[in-house]
Amino acid sequence: MRFFATVISAAALLSLAPAPTHALKILMNNDDGFGSGNLREFYRILKGMGHDVLIVAPATQQSAQGGRADYTTEANLTAPTQYNIVPAGAPSVGTDPHDANIWYYNGTPAACTFVALDYVLPRHYPAWNQAPDLLTSGPNFGTNLGPFVFTLSGTLGAAYAAVERSIPALAFSASNPSIAFANVTNGSNPATWAAGVSAQIVDLFAGRTAEGARVLPLGYGVNVNIPELNSSAMPEVVASRLTGNAVVDIAAYNETTGLFHYESLEPPAAGVNVCYNGDCGLPGETDVVASGKVSVSVFTVDYDAPSIGYTDMVFEKVFGERNGTGGGYGRRDVGVRRGAARGRRLMTGRDALREE
Ligand SMILES: *[C@@H]1O[C@H](CO)[C@@H](O)[C@H](O)[C@H]1NC(C)=O
Ligand SMILES: *[C@@H]1O[C@H](CO)[C@@H](O)[C@H](O)[C@H]1NC(C)=O
Ligand SMILES: *[C@@H]1O[C@H](CO)[C@@H](O)[C@H](O)[C@H]1NC(C)=O
Ligand SMILES: *[C@@H]1O[C@H](CO)[C@@H](O)[C@H](O)[C@H]1NC(C)=O
Ligand SMILES: *[C@@H]1O[C@H](CO)[C@@H](O)[C@H](O)[C@H]1NC(C)=O
Ligand SMILES: *[C@@H]1O[C@H](CO)[C@@H](O)[C@H](O)[C@H]1NC(C)=O
């Protein structure tokens, strides 16, 4: 049975999710900063479920950093951290004064992943062996949908940095607005609901991973996006793909101000929606979240093109036809799977429209 190709209803989710048989060592990160209400609620709930959790997250808001690993050149903070949790003058890496398992570092999300693995864990958590069972990133304030976020989003950057260090990672992005953890005063608010949905997804992975086994195969990560929530009810969870009506930016120029800002390209670009890998029959995560459901997309950090005819055509530009086959590098079917957004007009250039 291909469980991943089915829609998991809220009721089914509860019955399918086995009780966790063992606690996971979970390293938590994000890009909104270590004082984020979403992150702190996720931490509280995972801890309550019995997992061994630790936050190492940016000292300040670090959205849109992608996988950039930026390390501060100052040993001590030159300004207070987010929400004045830690004052200026304190070390650039340290802990929340109220919880010694909540660390901040004054750098980007990917830098926090590396500081966690190479400094915080070996020095302060030797039992972790520098190898958490799982890294979670987020839940972000705002969704991260489509392949474009893989170079843009700090939430994803923290996750793929972990995957590249052989640590399984789940990236979570929600649709609620930013809220400081100190402003979360009850259990009935969008930050707690987003954290609750994220924790239930973590528990699906925990419940189906044998003790000592990897949560995800080497090189794999998962991108989870959560729609706007109006209660603690678990929405439907749908297996999805990154591509399919995914957006990419344009540089929009304002003639009055002489300044650029980004806008989403409409109709969507063909380039960011091409489907070469994975199951092109799955719905795009962008559409899944728009329909009020939770999307679960699976990615790998193996960015090599798949072994198909198009790839042969590219190698042939450099090496010519290979091995006297007279027909190409390996000559497989060049008429490969097409763009994921079937039936949509896709932008193939700035001006040209192509019927897909
Ligand atoms: C950082 O602060 C500590 C005191 O917390 C001080 O001893 C140290 O000299 C400072 N380092 C720098 C580079 O300013
Ligand atoms: C937290 O609540 C205070 C008081 O209501 C408000 O001024 C502040 O903007 C809130 N901050 C965040 C980040 O939600
Ligand atoms: C819980 O807090 C939220 C703000 O975070 C507020 O909008 C809501 O009214 C509160 N609910 C209760 C039952 O106090
Ligand atoms: C350009 O910027 C001006 C000044 O901020 C603003 O009033 C105007 O609406 C903008 N024009 C467009 C087309 O966005
Ligand atoms: C929550 O309410 C908004 C606005 O009515 C709606 O768009 C959204 O789909 C709802 N979310 C869910 C999970 O039902
Ligand atoms: C050519 O084909 C032979 C037999 O399949 C293979 O052993 C050899 O590695 C190939 N050479 C190149 C350059 O692809």
Side-chain angles (χ1 to χ4, degrees), residues 11-339:
L13 191 72
L14 291 175
S15 61
L16 280 172
T21 51
H22 58 281
L24 294 180
K25 292 195 287 293
I26 304 175
L27 173 63
M28 305 181 72
N29 194 351
N30 77 346
D31 75 359
D32 294 308
F34 80 128
S36 149
N38 280 9
L39 174 68
R40 295 289 186 107
E41 284 296 273
F42 193 18
Y43 172 82
R44 183 180 62 78
I45 294 168
L46 287 177
K47 205 167 144 177
M49 287 173 157
H51 295 293
D52 205 358
V53 286
L54 167 65
I55 292 178
V56 182
T60 60
Q61 158 65 242
Q62 293 283 334
S63 288
Q65 294 282 6
R68 182 168 170 257
D70 185 51
Y71 302 100
T72 179
T73 55
E74 304 284 348
N76 295 335
L77 298 171
T78 56
T81 66
Q82 188 173 40
Y83 309 134
N84 294 306
I85 299 166
V86 178
S92 288
V93 58
T95 60
D96 184 297
H98 302 294
D99 188 332
N101 292 322
I102 298 181
W103 290 72
Y104 65 87
Y105 170 64
N106 192 15
T108 55
C112 287
T113 293
F114 298 137
V115 166
L117 295 177
D118 300 323
Y119 179 90
V120 175
L121 290 180
R123 286 174 190 241
H124 299 279
Y125 302 83
W128 287 49
N129 288 325
Q130 273 182 285
D133 296 314
L134 185 66
L135 176 131
T136 63
S137 185
N140 190 58
F141 299 120
T143 54
N144 281 301
L145 299 160
F148 186 52
V149 302
F150 273 73
T151 49
L152 176 78
S153 159
T155 304
L156 269 298
Y160 60 71
V163 172
E164 286 164 350
R165 288 287 298 267
S166 313
I167 311 294
L170 310 178
F172 292 94
S173 302
S175 300
N176 63 313
S178 170
I179 181 169
F181 82 95
N183 285 10
V184 176
T185 53
N186 64 58
S188 182
N189 68 87
T192 306
W193 298 331
V197 166
S198 303
Q200 289 193 58
I201 301 284
V202 167
D203 245 34
L204 287 173
F205 284 98
R208 293 199 173 100
T209 302
E211 189 154 12
R214 289 183 60 89
V215 173
L216 299 175
L218 197 61
Y220 274 73
V222 172
N223 190 35
V224 178
N225 276 277
I226 299 167
E228 182 184 344
L229 302 172
N230 308 299
S231 74
S232 62
M234 185 77 182
E236 283 184 6
V237 180
V238 177
S240 58
R241 49 179 301 103
L242 302 173
T243 59
N245 279 336
V247 300
V248 65
D249 287 357
I250 59 167
Y253 184 66
N254 185 316
E255 299 288 350
T256 310
T257 61
L259 298 174
F260 293 95
H261 63 277
Y262 77 84
E263 286 177 11
S264 293
L265 177 60
E266 274 294 337
V272 78
N273 282 298
V274 77
C275 183
Y276 294 131
N277 288 312
D279 181 353
C280 299
L282 291 176
E285 57 189 8
T286 305
D287 290 335
V288 168
V289 172
S291 70
K293 296 168 186 169
V294 175
S295 64
V296 175
S297 301
V298 180
F299 66 88
T300 77
V301 294
D302 175 2
Y303 298 115
D304 278 293
S307 185
I308 58 176
Y310 286 140
T311 308
D312 294 341
M313 288 168 63
V314 176
F315 274 127
E316 282 167 10
K317 303 278 181 182
V318 181
F319 302 106
E321 289 185 359
R322 304 282 293 203
N323 225 2
T325 62
Y329 198 85
R331 191 48 78 191
R332 290 172 202 85
D333 178 19
V334 175
V336 292
R337 296 158 286 181
R338 308 275 294 283

